[in-house]
Each structure stands twice: as C-alpha cells, then as structure tokens.
Amino acid sequence: STAADVQGAIETQAHKGANFVKLIASGGGLTPGTRPSEADLPLEMMREAVAVARAHGLSVSAQCHATESIVRALDAGVETIEHASFTEPDGTPRFDPEIVARIRDEGAIVTPTVISGVRIAQTIRESGTQNGLDHNAIARLEARRHHVARFLELGVRIMAGADCGVACTPFDSLVDELTEYGNAGMSSAAALRSATSDSARFLRQPTLGQVKRGYAADLLLLNKNPLESLEALRHPLLVLKGGEIVCDRRNIPVGA
C-alpha cells in the first residue's frame, strides 16, 4: 500500500458519510496471523491518514497494542488511542510513564477496554490453550487493569469503551467496563462522564451526552442512583433514543 492508497480509501469512506477513521496500527490479538507486539502500519501512512481525515473533518483513532504503535500514533497526531497495551517486541506488557505523559500533554484520549481484556485472558487460561502467535496474551490482556489505574494516576483522559462484540464481551458489557474504572480509582461520576458527556465531547458530538435543551433525548430512567452504585445501570426501567421509548420495563420485576 502507498500514501495514495490511504488517501483514496479515506476519501471514499468520507464521501459515503463516515464520521470517523480507525487505523489498525498494530495487529489484533484475536486476528489470525498477527502479533499485537508488532507495529504494522508505517508512520508515513498514519500521517497521511490523519491529514486526509482532518481535511474532511473526520476524527481519527488507532488500535495500538505495540508500544511502538502508540508512539507512531502520537507522532501522526491521532486523537484517540484504543487499548494502549504497551506491548514490547517480545510480547510482554511494559507500562511506559514517559509515553503516557506525552499522551496526556498532547491531549490524546485513551480507550483502555479493560473488561474485554480480562475476560479473554480468563478464557485463554481456563482453556489451557495458546492464543495463536500471541504467546504472552494473558499477561498483555490482564495488564489493562494495571494500565487504567496508571492512566488515571498520571492524568490521562479516558473514554469508555468495552470493545464489545469480541469474544466474551457482549454488548451489555459497558457497565462492567465502568466498574473496572471505579475499581481503578475513578469516581462513579467520572466513570459516567467517560461514557456520556466526556465521550461526546471527545468525539465532537455536540448534541449528545447531556440532559439539556437542544440535545438528543437519549435517556435512561433508573430506580436507583448510579452515583451511589454503578450497578443501578444494569436494570434500566426505561430507555429513550431520540425521545422515543425503545425499552420499557417499568412493569417488569427487577431481575426478571
């Protein structure tokens, strides 16, 4: 592939109405034949992708497991770093506070996807098998818990994301992701913001994330205060999307 290929691909998607561009800066742990420890996308292509995306008003994120891929994402000006696994060439995780300070100082956002990591690691451990070429998968995946605590400690901005849809991570896993943030030291209010007002701001969605006149009426009605316990999010009584009721459980016993 060439820079022209990158330009063509992004322009095609922009013309089809895409709002975001995601770069696979290092291989996925569940993708056959890839090694998460390797930075696969050359820096010059990432820079081209960011330049073309910005020319079309698109936001750019990058999947980064390898430490080198995180550095390239920062060098290219990527806005959001997915996973940020800090995986060394030998496959082991090694948190780098200097790179994290750069993430913070340059205003990049991290989506740590903790819950998918720990669940997949548990599945690999219980099966007694090896995850393809990803020989240190368990250590890499479980390190996300340690990493998110350090991100918070060092002042990195966090955007909630569960990586739902991958193995062991169904689409109702966001509450578990927010709980992981709470366990790492984030307040319930901050955890909620990471999935609502903060994420809307990070993704430049001006009508989402707040209960406010002129905003989309995407709302949950709960029977308990989520600021006291995030568990209240598991059983919403009412769900509205754009002001329309899409789920109504007000007459269904909790837990049914």
Side-chain angles (χ1 to χ4, degrees):
S1 297
T2 65
D5 295 327
V6 172
Q7 177 180 354
I10 292 176
E11 289 182 340
T12 296
Q13 295 303 317
H15 292 152
K16 290 181 178 180
N19 294 314
F20 305 94
V21 171
K22 181 176 179 179
L23 307 178
I24 307 301
S26 56
L30 300 176
T31 305
T34 66
R35 290 183 173 88
S37 58
E38 297 177 354
D40 297 318
L41 194 59
L43 175 58
E44 58 269 23
M45 290 191 182
M46 295 179 69
R47 283 178 167 154
E48 179 69 14
V50 170
V52 176
R54 286 186 175 163
H56 288 275
L58 308 182
S59 298
V60 184
S61 70
Q63 171 171 294
C64 297
H65 290 302
T67 301
E68 174 59 26
S69 68
I70 300 173
V71 173
R72 291 182 189 178
L74 293 170
D75 288 345
V78 167
E79 297 156 84
T80 306
I81 298 174
E82 312 289 338
H83 313 304
S85 299
F86 284 99
T87 306
E88 293 292 284
D90 65 358
T92 58
R94 186 179 71 82
F95 189 87
D96 190 318
E98 292 186 2
I99 296 175
V100 173
R102 186 180 170 194
I103 292 173
R104 177 197 63 213
D105 295 345
E106 295 184 12
I109 314 301
V110 171
T111 304
T113 61
V114 180
I115 194 62
S116 63
V118 296
R119 284 181 176 171
I120 295 169
Q122 181 180 0
T123 299
I124 296 172
R125 177 180 282 108
E126 291 174 351
S127 67
T129 61
Q130 184 171 285
N131 190 45
L133 300 174
D134 189 10
H135 302 313
N136 291 295
I138 291 175
R140 175 179 63 81
L141 292 164
E142 291 184 340
R144 293 183 191 180
R145 276 181 168 156
H146 165 73
H147 291 171
V148 73
R150 296 296 308 279
F151 290 143
L152 294 173
E153 177 186 326
L154 293 172
V156 171
R157 296 188 294 175
I158 299 293
M159 181 165 63
D163 207 17
C164 54
V166 301
C168 312
T169 314
F171 284 83
D172 61 356
S173 298
L174 184 59
V175 178
D176 301 294
E177 181 74 10
L178 300 184
T179 299
E180 290 287 343
Y181 300 166
N183 293 339
M186 185 183 282
S187 69
S188 292
L192 288 169
R193 287 195 298 269
S194 75
T196 54
S197 57
D198 283 353
S199 58
R201 186 174 74 257
F202 298 155
L203 296 174
R204 296 191 296 223
Q205 299 297 301
T207 64
L208 300 179
Q210 296 186 54
V211 181
K212 191 174 181 180
R213 184 182 296 273
Y215 280 64
D218 298 342
L219 305 169
L220 296 180
L221 174 65
L222 307 173
N223 65 354
K224 295 181 180 179
N225 185 353
L227 294 176
E228 296 176 358
S229 173
L230 293 171
E231 287 295 308
L233 297 169
R234 292 196 188 277
H235 303 287
L237 298 178
L238 196 69
V239 181
L240 290 91
K241 174 65 177 174
E244 299 290 329
I245 295 175
V246 296
C247 179
D248 189 345
R249 297 175 57 89
R250 285 174 291 182
N251 295 318
I252 300 174
V254 173

